[in-house]
């Protein structure tokens, strides 16, 4: 097993460890079963650096992706930029944009009027792969909070039938709230 090690020289740590240098091993932050089953990550560099970069990635907050729920995404991105949010628009999915992780979109006028949805990029790709057309019928069997269902409805231009079901009724309540918004 690979065990990268970083010496800690802080006086507080030395006092707690009776003056000896403490080994702060980030690899030990994860359980043995995880370390034993983790394949070597791809990329360049030594195995030690690959693992350390992977562990750092696991501890990094995910990006905040949003989706334009309205018909004019360019106007929406301009509105967000005017609010100081600096959306990074995906080059192929132009209705998707990444915002700063700390951005509070819940109080934005675009969010309140339903023109902006919080939805990760992978979830945005699913309805696009389904390619729904107006007038069709779609069933989201794992509807959850309704993000993909709302996206399918938008792609159908709200002409057709969409049904969302989920095991957890509280998630469906959230989907209904989002649809009303």
């Amino acid at each position: 097993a690979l065990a990268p090690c970083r010496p800690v020289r802080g006086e507080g740590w030395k006092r707690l460890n009776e003056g000896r240098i403490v080994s702060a091993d980030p690899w030990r932050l994860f359980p043995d079963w995880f370390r034993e089953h983790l394949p070597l990550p791809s990329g360049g560099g030594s195995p030690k650096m690959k693992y350390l970069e992977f562990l750092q990635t696991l501890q990094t907050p995910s990006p905040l992706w949003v989706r334009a729920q309205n018909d004019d995404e360019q106007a929406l991105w301009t509105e967000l930029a005017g609010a100081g949010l600096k959306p990074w628009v995906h080059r192929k999915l132009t209705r998707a944009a990444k915002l700063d992780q700390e951005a509070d979109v819940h109080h934005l006028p675009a969010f309140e009027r339903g023109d902006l949805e919080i939805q990760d990029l992978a979830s945005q790709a699913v309805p696009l792969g389904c390619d729904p057309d107006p007038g069709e019928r779609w069933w989201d069997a794992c509807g959850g909070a309704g993000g993909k269902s709302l996206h399918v409805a938008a792609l159908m231009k709200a002409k057709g039938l969409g049904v969302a079901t989920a095991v957890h009724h509280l998630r469906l309540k959230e989907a209904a709230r989002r649809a009303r918004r």
Side-chain angles (χ1 to χ4, degrees):
L2 180 67
C5 184
R6 304 261 191 243
V8 176
R9 304 199 194 300
E11 292 304 314
W13 283 106
K14 286 181 185 178
R15 280 193 304 272
L16 286 173
N17 203 29
E18 299 173 352
R20 293 174 303 199
I21 294 176
V22 177
S23 172
D25 184 359
W27 190 238
R28 298 287 173 206
L29 295 173
F30 296 90
D32 290 339
W33 63 264
F34 180 80
R35 294 191 314 262
E36 291 167 4
H37 290 61
L38 182 66
L40 182 64
S42 62
S46 70
K48 178 179 179 179
M49 290 311 298
K50 288 180 188 180
Y51 281 119
L52 286 176
E53 288 170 4
F54 175 73
L55 296 176
Q56 183 178 5
T57 300
L58 288 178
Q59 297 175 42
T60 303
S62 301
L64 174 62
W65 283 95
V66 293
R67 178 175 49 80
Q69 181 73 13
N70 65 2
D71 290 331
D72 189 0
E73 68 265 17
Q74 193 55 49
L76 178 61
W77 306 142
T78 302
E79 179 183 341
L80 293 181
L85 292 180
K86 301 177 190 169
W88 180 86
V89 179
H90 193 280
R91 64 186 170 111
K92 293 193 179 201
L93 304 178
T94 59
R95 301 182 69 74
K98 183 170 45 171
L99 300 176
D100 181 75
Q101 296 163 344
E102 302 298 319
D104 181 13
V105 298
H106 293 95
H107 300 4
L108 293 174
F111 184 82
E112 290 176 353
R113 68 177 179 264
D115 289 343
L116 181 69
E117 280 290 324
I118 299 171
Q119 187 176 34
D120 69 86
L121 191 59
S123 294
Q124 292 187 46
V126 171
L128 294 172
C130 294
D131 193 26
D133 291 317
E136 291 182 343
R137 295 177 183 194
W138 281 87
W139 174 28
D140 187 349
C142 298
K148 288 183 280 300
S149 299
L150 289 171
H151 195 177
V152 166
L155 293 171
M156 292 192 312
K157 310 272 187 242
K159 294 180 171 81
L161 176 66
V163 175
T165 58
V167 175
H168 303 288
H169 72 281
L170 293 177
R171 302 278 290 162
L172 282 177
K173 284 185 178 183
E174 173 66 11
R177 187 191 63 75
R178 289 172 76 181
R180 282 191 303 275
R181 185 174 45 79

